[in-house]
């Protein structure tokens, strides 16, 4: 199995190293055509505005949106979560493009500046049920976002308490004309919706491989659900190289 890792900026090397530790190859993705050769994608943490500008420069947004819409598994961590959100608040002036697909509202910088970065134990019984181990995991939050609201089809996997010292943030309404204050004492930091997984923290910076294994299980499930015709198309386009003469065209191979 090989997993694509968007390699524009941020912690893509750390994700590739985490995949390597569990025997999986990570493929750096920088161009739209490279997405054709992978069945899953990780969008890493980093500086979301910078990543968005680089994605726009390389005309990646249409291909990323198509990839998400195709049902292939995608996991966004930190900045990757912001990319996947349908709606984002707390952005810089002018905002940024989003890939979308995840029915949620995310606050881009909910936990504050770089100086407010922190670590904490998160309760993750659903992760433990799937991948074993303890019912908690270490969450590394670096200038992290948070999910303020989710749609009815979004499964919450982890949340964390909101400090009384944190400023209350405003949530824009769907019509954009009014705002309401976020007043909950807990905030969502990990969710799953269909083929999409998102975490506000950085599992790739810890030795706990369960999040990566959880994502790989999503990839396996997606492959099992593919129809025979879909599998044949994938074989025809991305075979092992022995039948190149039979292919309608060759695709570049990126190591």
């Amino acid at each position: 199995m090989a997993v694509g890792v968007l390699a524009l900026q941020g912690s893509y090397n750390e994700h590739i190293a985490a995949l390597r530790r569990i025997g999986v190859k990570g493929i750096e993705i920088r161009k739209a055509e490279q997405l054709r050769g992978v069945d899953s994608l990780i969008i890493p943490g980093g500086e979301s505005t910078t990543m968005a500008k680089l994605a726009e420069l390389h005309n990646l947004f249409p291909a990323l949106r198509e990839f998400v819409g195709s049902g292939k598994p995608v996991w966004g961590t930190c900045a990757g979560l912001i990319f996947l959100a349908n709606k984002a608040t707390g952005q810089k002036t002018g905002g940024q493009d989003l890939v979308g697909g995840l029915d949620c509202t995310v606050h881009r910088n909910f936990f504050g500046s770089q100086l407010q970065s922190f670590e904490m134990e998160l309760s993750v019984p659903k992760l433990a049920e799937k991948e074993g181990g303890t019912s908690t995991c270490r969450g590394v939050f670096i200038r992290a976002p948070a999910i303020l609201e989710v749609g009815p089809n979004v499964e919450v996997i982890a949340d964390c308490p909101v400090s009384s010292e944190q400023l209350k943030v405003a949530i824009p309404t769907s019509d954009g004309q009014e705002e309401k204050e976020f007043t909950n004492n807990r905030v969502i930091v990990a969710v799953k919706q269909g083929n999409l997984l998102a975490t506000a923290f950085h599992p790739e910076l810890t030795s706990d491989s369960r999040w990566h294994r959880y994502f790989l299980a999503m990839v396996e499930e997606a492959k099992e659900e593919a129809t025979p015709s879909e599998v044949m198309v994938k074989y025809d386009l991305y075979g092992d190289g022995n039948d190149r003469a039979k292919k309608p065209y060759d695709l570049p191979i990126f190591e």
Side-chain angles (χ1 to χ4, degrees), residues 63-72 74 84 99-102 195-196:
L64 288 170
R65 292 179 183 124
E66 182 180 356
F67 195 94
V68 168
S70 72
K72 296 178 180 179
V74 181
L84 291 179
V99 174
L102 185 60
N195 62 307
L196 304 179

Side-chain angles (χ1 to χ4, degrees), residues 25-55:
K25 182 179 181 180
I27 299 176
E28 295 181 9
I29 303 294
R30 293 187 177 90
K31 299 179 181 179
E33 57 265 29
Q34 290 175 293
L35 288 170
R36 301 173 188 162
V38 295
D39 291 317
S40 58
L41 179 70
I42 295 175
I43 304 178
E47 212 296 312
S48 61
T49 304
T50 300
M51 290 174 64
K53 289 180 178 178
L54 290 170

Side-chain angles (χ1 to χ4, degrees), residues 150-167:
V150 296
N153 296 320
V154 178
E155 177 186 9
V156 176
I157 303 177
D159 60 14
C160 73
V162 175
S163 169
S164 59
E165 297 177 358
Q166 288 174 325
L167 296 175

Side-chain angles (χ1 to χ4, degrees), residues 126-127 130-131 155 157 191-192 197 209-219 221:
K126 293 178 181 178
L127 178 68
K130 287 280 189 178
E131 300 300 332
E155 177 186 9
I157 303 177
V191 295
K192 179 180 180 295
L197 177 67
S209 63
R210 290 180 297 168
W211 285 101
H212 288 82
R213 295 204 309 267
Y214 183 89
F215 181 63
L216 293 176
M218 290 174 56
V219 178
E221 290 172 6

Side-chain angles (χ1 to χ4, degrees), residues 109-163:
N109 196 23
F110 182 85
F111 292 104
S113 69
Q114 193 82 8
L115 294 176
Q116 277 72 56
S117 300
F118 64 97
E119 298 181 25
M120 73 175 303
E121 291 295 318
L122 300 171
S123 176
V124 286
K126 293 178 181 178
L127 178 68
E129 180 182 346
K130 287 280 189 178
E131 300 300 332
T134 67
S135 60
T136 63
C137 77
R138 193 69 172 167
V140 179
F141 294 83
I142 303 175
R143 198 182 177 189
I147 299 171
L148 307 181
E149 289 184 329
V150 296
N153 296 320
V154 178
E155 177 186 9
V156 176
I157 303 177
D159 60 14
C160 73
V162 175
S163 169

Side-chain angles (χ1 to χ4, degrees), residues 225-248:
E225 292 173 0
T227 64
S229 61
E230 288 174 330
V231 173
M232 183 60 69
V233 167
K234 290 177 183 177
Y235 176 79
D236 287 343
L237 293 180
Y238 314 114
D240 60 8
N242 295 326
D243 59 337
R244 282 184 179 274
K246 300 178 182 179
K247 295 180 183 180

